[in-house]
Amino acid sequence: MDPKYLHNEIELKWQQRWNEEETFAVSEGGDKPKYYVLEMFPYPSGKIHMGHVRNYTIGDVVARYKHMRGFNVLHPMGWDAFGMPAENAAIERGVHPAKWTRENIAYMRKQLKRMGFSYDWSREFATCDPSYYRWEQWLFLKMLEEGLVYRKKTTVNWCNDCATVLANEQVEAGLCWRCGEAVRQKDLWGWFFRITDYADELLEATEKMEGWPQNVLTSQQNWIGKSYGSSINFPFEGRDGAIEVFTTRPDTLYGVTFMSLAPENPLVAELVEGTEHEEAVMEFVEKVRQEDNIRRTADDYEKEGIFTGAYVTNPLTGEKAPIYVANFVLMEYGTGAVMAVPAHDQRDFEFAEKYNLPIRVVIKPEDSDLDATTMTEAYVEPGVLVNSAQFDGMPNKDAIDAITDYLDEQDLGKKTVNYRLRDWGISRQRYWGAPIPVIHCGACGTVPVPEDQLPVELPEDVEFPEGRVLPLADIPSFYKTKCPKCGLAAKRETDTMDTFVESSWYFARFSCSDFDKGMLDRPRVDYWLPVDQYIGGIEHAVLHLLYSRFYTKVLRDLDVAGMDEPFTNVLTQGMVCKETMKCVEDGWLFPEEVAEGKCTKCGKTATAGRTEKMSKSKKNVIDPEELIQNYGADTARLFSLFAAPPEKDLEWNEEGVEGSYRFLKRVWRILSSNMEWLADTQPFSGGELDGKARDLRRKAHETVKRVTDDIEARFHFNTAIAASMELVNELSSFEPTDETGKAVYREAVELLLTLLAPMVPHAAEEMWEALGCRSRLRDVSWPTADEKALARDSITIVVQVRGKVRGRIEVAPDADKDAVERIARADENVARHLEGLETVKVIYVPGRLLNIVVK
């Protein structure tokens, strides 16, 4: 065994072996229980980053650990390959999106293999492969047949910079989530999935999904946004028809003094058409449509509106109420119309104050009155009704049901349920995406592409003008076709599908990526699905995870798959963060552009900024390739696991990386310096032990127990590694003096390598082989702690008085509370701190702590 730890040599050796032997390829069947672990697959952007390293290392440890626990483990990898970054790169670099994407895939695949991840590469695919999106198109047609897909003209979020539609979830603080540009509203025809048909099922299931983080479930519950209330009709004054509103506060109905419409509401144009108000109102509408919906609902957003000239009648009071168009009302929630109660809603209050509209109090505190003329803000607390006819004096919470029942009896309204969730708009006006399999014919209308003509392939041989990527709508060779019904000239649909469609079922395709007779091979998908452990970022709590759940239920209902939910357990790992550095002359600086506190470009002082998520824009990034070259993949893995628990943010620091490297070299030295006798020694197999040999064996088996508990229960790899480091300390200080001591040492070394194998597989396998072990370490069963070895003659109990440690006592492992308390009180230091004090109670945590509470 070489005395030097040559990380590159060792890692390349084992990666070559794993590749040649197809070590991680897996098939269905056998007597082992299945376990499917999956990390969210990457977009092929060019290079992996430290976020990838952390995410995929976590998944790899789980996969390797479960394999050693006797599971048949599926651990695949593929590529989320469609999307705008490829088009942007094509514009910037003058390279075709397809070429750029596939070159990136090749490079990133090489990088992932260099990390030693245990992927079954035989299942690899990219979502831009026609063999993949063919089945996505097939499912689109099946959903169209079932009425789960429809086309309509609607107001959409539009990003001018990306020239495409964005789902509501893709708008962040008024900006496009991809490019960061401001989002505006625009009317377009588009295709929609009826996710709202599954709203109740999606919501109800969140109460049973015990393996998901609560914050993720809460995000989904809030996004679905189920609320109970009343649907009420307000008849127009002087014309036929009515405005329907949804409200959760029918108790405030007597306080309605005006009506607010969303600028996008089609009623606006109808109400002002041909009137003196038309021009001003439509100008206001257009102005508001340029603004972001999220911003429009913010508390600090300035409330603005315009009178339409029209009125409605309050169905309970018969009073006339003016209709305004208000910038804070959205079409997406309810009916796009809001009954305004300024005395009891802060937005309505601010609006009424600004436009001098009436404010009528209809709920007051139980012990005082309210005067609308002196109110400085809306009253939104519970109270009793006033100015509400026969409901006066009723607690407002009781009045909600009472007034709803009255409206129902009078045929003026009814109880109803509303959802924040809206159908999923999947149309994107791009090139690099999966074409929607529909043809528009002047004679036959909208015609589905026949199944035997799938896939509708994206034309990858198109040459683009410099600086542009043409959308499909500008590529006649793609959209010119013939109607499959009548044979006349027709036009293909030129929208492509939202890339979240591809990522909503890829996890199922991994179970049968070679299957070409259908979307999924039912026996194989039923064997592997659902995914047992899914790992990815919290930023996907709503978007990807909700869509995947919806898609899974569609697959189930169309009898393509059998599971109700896609993922049994979800882990959302934290971000990788690093301190930012900036120079007044050159702006943000890469780490290598700073030396001794100075900018290497201009020599001026480099100022340390906040520690933030690693990003190319802030230049606080570390190149994994450089890290691997200098320290090895195992060091990169070990650091990313040890620096923080998976669900917490990881703060990068060079000292931590060097510490991880030193630890691996230390383990290597323990073996290499003792290899002369270690290789010829058999591990301890039984018998009586005493002294240091017994202590080392106890420590080894305590470590097995701790590491197993930390991984199995919580995936707390950081504390598992800390426990392994403690064992290394024990090994370093132990000097075997006889054959029994050597056998105990050999057993402890084997256990250590076994525990480290999922985390640092290259180094562990190399050292295992150097010991002369015939089997591969990967295939060794995960160890079980020997209860006999764990036994102690005594245990240490910490004694606290008034919450402060006043002693440590040794007691028998089976000592009860009374016995522990007697020994504690006999301790000289404890007794001194108890002198003259009355004991209130004694708290005993078995095996750990005795706390004496005094006064």
Side-chain angles (χ1 to χ4, degrees), residues 169 195-207 209 212 216-228 246 332-334 417-423 541-543 545-547 549-550 553 565:
E169 302 92 327
I195 190 173
T196 53
D197 282 9
Y198 289 82
D200 277 326
E201 186 180 356
L202 289 166
L203 183 63
E204 289 165 8
T206 60
E207 300 296 334
M209 294 159 63
W212 286 50
V216 173
L217 295 175
T218 300
S219 294
Q220 295 206 2
Q221 290 162 355
N222 291 341
W223 190 260
I224 295 168
K226 185 175 184 178
S227 56
Y228 298 89
F246 170 81
E332 296 171 356
Y333 188 76
V417 177
N418 195 64
Y419 299 87
R420 181 173 181 262
L421 181 69
R422 288 293 177 264
D423 283 337
V542 172
L543 278 169
L545 292 175
L546 184 63
Y547 291 159
R549 294 183 58 219
F550 159 67
K553 295 179 189 304
E565 293 288 342

Side-chain angles (χ1 to χ4, degrees), residues 237-238 256-258 310-314 317-323 358 360:
E237 181 81 10
V256 174
T257 60
F258 62 97
Y311 294 84
V312 289
T313 302
N314 187 318
T317 67
E319 294 177 346
K320 194 166 69 169
I323 304 172
R360 178 181 297 122

Side-chain angles (χ1 to χ4, degrees), residues 133 144 252 363 420 454 554 562 634 671:
Y133 64 75
L144 189 62
T252 65
I363 299 173
R420 181 173 181 262
L454 297 180
V554 171
D634 280 341
L671 270 77

Side-chain angles (χ1 to χ4, degrees), residues 9 215 234 267 528 727:
E9 199 174 291
N215 59 337
F234 284 73
L267 279 174
W528 288 115
L727 177 56

Side-chain angles (χ1 to χ4, degrees), residues 232-235 253 313-319 406-407 412:
I232 305 170
N233 289 320
F234 284 73
L253 187 51
T313 302
N314 187 318
L316 290 187
T317 67
E319 294 177 346
Y406 179 75
L407 290 167
L412 299 171

Side-chain angles (χ1 to χ4, degrees), residues 277-289 306:
H277 300 277
E278 182 175 16
E279 183 177 351
V281 169
M282 297 315 293
E283 281 181 7
F284 176 78
V285 167
E286 188 56 32
K287 171 194 163 191
V288 176
R289 283 161 62 89
I306 191 167

